Amino acid sequence: MEPLLPEELARYHRHILLPEIGGHGQQRLKASRVLVIGAGGLGSPVLQYLAAAGVGTLGIIDDDGVSLSNLQRQVIHDTGTIGEQKTESAAQAIARLNPHCRVIRHEQRFDLPFAADHLARYTLLIDGSDNFTTRYAAADAAEQTQIPLVTGAVGRFDGTVTVLKPYEAGPDGALLPRYRDLFPEPPPEGLVPACAEAGVVGALTGVIGTLMAMEAIKLITAIGEPLVGRLLIYDGLAARFDTIRYKRRGTAR
């Protein structure tokens, strides 16, 4: 791994002070390559905190542009970037935050053909998308590529986060669960309204996105207990966190 530059030692000093991370963990962050699906409500805090943490390469995949209605929650963008591609706006913000972080822009939608061409170049996938088609594609692609997936979702005042590593076995020797072990099938179209239809409180995306960034840092630095086989649920109105455990199903695809 590359040594940390003097400026990086100063920038990441609070990380390096932590025995669990230290200089070696910070070097792991510098060497990591993370692909983030979506530069929206969830992707904004994920990108900001991972860039600030010292992730060496951040890939951003999003085919949308910045609009005024995004700014209530997509805090990596601002009024001055309305009309720009989200990948470009996010890249500019990351460059201002941390010039040591390299950004790779993919101005398209994430799907399996894209994953087949690009995903093997990354060490971690983070899904901040807002639709089930992309979520299932991300889960399938990460499993096929054998890289960890951090996935989150929000709706109105509630959010969830989990981590998937279905290509590995747990302590009992059984394979770890897949996304379809948690959500076997997408809900019928129209049953779960999108944020554009039902609304979402902006700060909620900050809570869930920051939790996703924390899980990513744990995975990269190999510390703590990631949310593998556990779904973390946040109820913003009640200010309550709950955790549901789930396992591999024999009938999962």
Side-chain angles (χ1 to χ4, degrees), residues 26 52 60 63 88 96 98-99 149 164 180 213 246 249:
Q26 196 60 52
I60 311 171
D63 68 343
E88 172 60 25
R96 291 191 295 270
N98 188 352
L149 168 66
L164 296 156
R180 285 182 172 81
Y246 60 100
R249 300 184 187 186

Side-chain angles (χ1 to χ4, degrees), residues 12-209:
Y12 309 126
H13 181 60
R14 299 299 190 277
H15 271 181
I16 295 169
L17 286 174
L18 296 167
E20 295 86 350
I21 296 180
H24 181 70
Q26 196 60 52
Q27 285 179 294
R28 290 176 68 114
L29 286 163
K30 182 176 181 177
S32 64
R33 298 172 58 88
V34 180
L35 178 64
V36 179
I37 302 175
L42 294 175
S44 289
V46 167
L47 290 165
Q48 288 170 315
Y49 273 106
L50 292 188
V55 167
T57 301
L58 282 171
I60 311 171
I61 178 165
D62 197 310
D63 68 343
D64 200 7
V66 180
S67 65
L68 183 60
S69 64
N70 296 149
L71 303 185
Q72 162 256 14
R73 65 202 177 281
Q74 300 181 14
V75 294
I76 202 167
H77 313 297
D78 57 54
T79 305
T81 63
I82 291 174
E84 292 185 8
Q85 287 291 319
K86 286 184 180 178
T87 55
E88 172 60 25
S89 173
Q92 292 172 13
I94 290 168
R96 291 191 295 270
L97 178 61
N98 188 352
H100 299 285
C101 180
R102 177 189 178 213
V103 175
I104 301 174
R105 296 165 50 197
H106 304 283
E107 292 176 358
Q108 61 188 99
R109 279 187 173 270
F110 183 92
D111 55 21
L112 292 177
F114 169 88
D117 290 338
H118 299 281
L119 193 54
R121 303 173 190 172
Y122 293 94
T123 54
L124 174 66
L125 178 63
I126 300 182
D127 180 17
S129 64
D130 61 358
N131 66 89
F132 287 98
T133 300
T134 303
R135 289 172 191 158
Y136 280 88
D140 291 343
E143 180 177 4
Q144 291 167 10
T145 311
Q146 296 195 353
I147 63 171
L149 168 66
V150 179
T151 182
V154 293
R156 288 173 47 84
F157 299 96
D158 309 304
T160 60
V161 184
T162 194
V163 174
L164 296 156
K165 300 175 76 176
Y167 49 87
E168 291 186 359
D172 60 356
L175 287 173
L176 296 171
R178 295 166 164 166
Y179 188 73
R180 285 182 172 81
D181 296 315
L182 183 60
F183 301 111
E185 303 228 350
E189 189 172 348
L191 181 64
V192 180
C195 293
E197 301 167 334
V200 62
V201 66
L204 173 67
T205 62
V207 173
I208 300 302

